[in-house]
Amino acid sequence: MTAFNAVRFKVKPGRDQEFLDAHKAVDRSWPGMRSANLIQTGEGSYCIIGEWEDMDAMAAARPNMIATLDTFRDCLEGDTDPVSGPVVLELK
């Protein structure tokens, strides 16, 4: 069953481009990842949404996600806000 993860980030002032560049540099060929999109939700505020084949694929990619986070962690204010889960109802 398809799964999604979402992570909210608050970027330190003046560090947005560094944050975006770190995401551009990521190898996105992780097994089971269908798509990933980074959206800007406000000034210095972002959210990444990942779509996965299933929860197992997403869980297997966690070391890659953490390694990616480590490349730009210094750009962030505070902690990330991650959530994830399986699709329980497809609306469209």
Side-chain angles (χ1 to χ4, degrees), residues 17-57:
Q17 193 58 53
E18 184 179 349
F19 173 79
L20 295 172
D21 290 344
H23 280 87
K24 289 177 187 175
V26 175
D27 174 16
R28 290 175 289 279
S29 61
W30 301 341
M33 178 185 269
R34 291 183 177 169
S35 67
N37 293 281
L38 183 62
I39 59 174
Q40 186 169 12
T41 58
E43 187 174 328
S45 181
Y46 298 87
C47 183
I48 193 164
I49 309 289
E51 180 181 7
W52 301 86
E53 289 178 5
D54 54 35
M55 289 295 291
D56 290 337

Side-chain angles (χ1 to χ4, degrees), residues 53-70:
E53 289 178 5
D54 54 35
M55 289 295 291
D56 290 337
M58 186 183 62
R62 280 192 186 116
N64 291 328
M65 289 187 263
I66 292 167
T68 299
L69 175 60
D70 288 343

